[in-house]
Amino acid sequence: MKTAKFSIGQVVRHRVFPFRGVIFDVDPEFANTEEWYDAIPAAVRPRRDQPFYHLLAENSETEYVAYVSEQNLLEDSSGEPVRHPQVGEYFDKTADGHYAPKARSSH
């Protein structure tokens, strides 16, 4: 199994499409539906045997949740905050502008 290149709380951008986001979960390998996978055109369909990341994503028009393969992500070094409305549910903003996962209580 491949080790994830990116980590929870890291801000990334898509290699091809104009969106960016903060990672809130990582799947070591593809773990979405076959329908989702098959909907991607074969010419640009990512390999399954790599980490996939759940992002609180944004583009110039809206905010949403995205599921993206590692091969399609790059580190976002803009320093701009992510404006997704759920960021505060998952992360605390650190003094240096990074995102630290909130401590989760367990019962």
Side-chain angles (χ1 to χ4, degrees), residues 2 8 14-16 24 28 39 43-44 49 56 63 65 68 70 77 80 82-83 88 106:
K2 187 176 177 188
I8 292 175
H14 197 278
R15 182 180 300 276
V16 177
F24 71 92
V44 294
D49 65 342
L56 297 176
E63 299 84 31
V65 173
V68 186
E70 186 169 275
S77 57
E80 294 293 318
V82 176
R83 69 175 189 273
S106 58

Coordinates of all heavy atoms in Angstrom, one line a residue, residues 2 8 14-16 24 28 39 43-44 49 56 63 65 68 70 77 80 82-83 88 106:
K2 N 0.6 2.2 -0.8 CA 1.3 3.4 -1.0 C 1.1 4.4 0.2 O 0.0 4.5 0.7 CB 1.0 4.1 -2.3 CG 1.8 5.3 -2.6 CD 1.5 5.8 -4.0 CE 2.3 7.0 -4.2 NZ 1.9 7.8 -5.4
I8 N -3.9 15.4 6.3 CA -5.1 16.0 6.7 C -4.7 17.4 7.2 O -3.7 17.6 7.9 CB -5.8 15.2 7.8 CG1 -6.3 13.9 7.2 CG2 -6.9 16.0 8.5 CD1 -6.9 12.9 8.1
H14 N -6.1 21.3 -7.5 CA -6.2 20.3 -8.6 C -5.2 20.6 -9.7 O -5.0 21.8 -10.0 CB -7.6 20.2 -9.2 CG -7.8 19.0 -9.9 ND1 -7.4 18.8 -11.2 CD2 -8.4 17.8 -9.5 CE1 -7.8 17.6 -11.6 NE2 -8.4 17.0 -10.6
R15 N -4.6 19.6 -10.2 CA -3.5 19.7 -11.2 C -4.1 20.3 -12.6 O -3.4 21.0 -13.3 CB -2.9 18.4 -11.5 CG -1.8 18.3 -12.5 CD -1.2 16.9 -12.7 NE -0.7 16.4 -11.5 CZ 0.6 16.6 -11.0 NH1 1.4 17.4 -11.7 NH2 1.0 16.0 -9.9
V16 N -5.4 19.9 -12.8 CA -6.0 20.3 -14.1 C -7.1 21.3 -14.0 O -7.2 22.3 -14.7 CB -6.5 19.1 -14.9 CG1 -7.2 19.4 -16.2 CG2 -5.4 18.0 -15.1
F24 N -9.6 16.7 4.4 CA -10.2 16.3 5.7 C -10.2 14.8 5.9 O -10.5 14.3 7.0 CB -11.5 17.0 6.0 CG -12.7 16.4 5.1 CD1 -13.4 15.4 5.6 CD2 -12.9 17.0 3.9 CE1 -14.5 14.9 4.8 CE2 -14.0 16.5 3.1 CZ -14.7 15.4 3.5
P28 N -6.5 5.2 1.6 CA -5.2 4.7 1.1 C -5.3 4.2 -0.4 O -4.3 4.3 -1.1 CB -4.9 3.5 2.0 CG -5.7 3.6 3.2 CD -6.9 4.5 2.8
A39 N -17.9 7.3 -14.3 CA -18.3 8.6 -14.9 C -17.1 9.4 -15.3 O -17.3 10.4 -16.1 CB -19.2 9.4 -13.9
A43 N -9.9 8.5 -20.7 CA -8.6 9.1 -21.0 C -8.0 9.9 -19.8 O -6.8 10.1 -19.8 CB -8.8 10.1 -22.2
V44 N -8.8 10.3 -18.9 CA -8.3 11.0 -17.7 C -8.6 10.3 -16.4 O -8.4 10.9 -15.3 CB -8.9 12.5 -17.6 CG1 -8.3 13.3 -18.8 CG2 -10.4 12.5 -17.6
D49 N -5.0 2.4 -7.5 CA -4.1 1.9 -6.5 C -3.2 3.1 -6.0 O -2.0 3.0 -5.9 CB -3.2 0.9 -7.1 CG -2.3 1.4 -8.3 OD1 -2.7 2.5 -8.8 OD2 -1.3 0.8 -8.6
L56 N -12.5 19.7 1.4 CA -13.5 20.8 1.5 C -13.0 21.8 0.5 O -12.0 22.5 0.6 CB -13.4 21.4 2.9 CG -13.8 20.5 4.1 CD1 -13.6 21.2 5.4 CD2 -15.2 20.0 3.9
E63 N -18.6 26.4 -3.1 CA -17.8 25.5 -2.2 C -18.5 24.1 -2.2 O -19.7 24.0 -2.3 CB -17.8 26.0 -0.7 CG -17.1 27.3 -0.6 CD -18.1 28.5 -0.9 OE1 -19.3 28.4 -0.7 OE2 -17.6 29.5 -1.4
V65 N -17.7 19.4 -1.5 CA -16.8 18.4 -1.1 C -16.3 17.6 -2.4 O -17.1 17.3 -3.3 CB -17.5 17.4 -0.2 CG1 -16.6 16.2 0.1 CG2 -17.8 18.1 1.1
V68 N -10.5 13.3 -4.7 CA -9.5 13.5 -5.8 C -8.4 12.5 -5.6 O -7.9 12.3 -4.4 CB -9.0 15.0 -5.7 CG1 -8.0 15.2 -6.9 CG2 -10.1 16.0 -5.7
E70 N -4.5 11.2 -5.7 CA -3.2 11.9 -5.4 C -2.5 12.4 -6.7 O -1.9 13.5 -6.7 CB -2.3 10.9 -4.7 CG -1.0 11.5 -4.3 CD -0.2 10.6 -3.3 OE1 -0.5 10.6 -2.1 OE2 0.7 9.9 -3.8
S77 N 0.4 26.7 -2.5 CA 1.3 27.6 -1.7 C 0.9 29.0 -1.7 O 1.7 29.9 -1.4 CB 2.7 27.4 -2.2 OG 2.8 27.7 -3.6
E80 N -3.6 31.6 0.8 CA -4.9 32.1 1.0 C -5.7 31.2 1.8 O -5.6 30.0 1.7 CB -5.6 32.3 -0.4 CG -4.9 33.3 -1.3 CD -5.2 34.7 -0.8 OE1 -6.3 35.0 -0.4 OE2 -4.2 35.5 -0.8
V82 N -8.9 28.9 3.0 CA -10.0 28.2 2.3 C -11.3 28.7 2.9 O -11.5 28.8 4.1 CB -9.9 26.7 2.5 CG1 -11.0 26.0 1.9 CG2 -8.5 26.2 1.9
R83 N -12.2 29.1 2.1 CA -13.5 29.8 2.5 C -14.6 28.8 2.7 O -15.7 29.2 3.1 CB -13.9 30.9 1.6 CG -14.3 30.4 0.2 CD -14.9 31.5 -0.7 NE -15.5 31.0 -1.8 CZ -14.8 30.6 -3.0 NH1 -13.5 30.8 -3.0 NH2 -15.5 30.1 -4.0
G88 N -14.4 25.3 9.8 CA -14.4 25.4 11.2 C -14.9 24.2 12.0 O -14.6 24.1 13.2
S106 N -14.5 11.2 22.1 CA -15.1 9.9 21.9 C -15.9 9.5 23.1 O -15.6 9.9 24.2 CB -14.0 8.9 21.6 OG -13.1 8.8 22.6

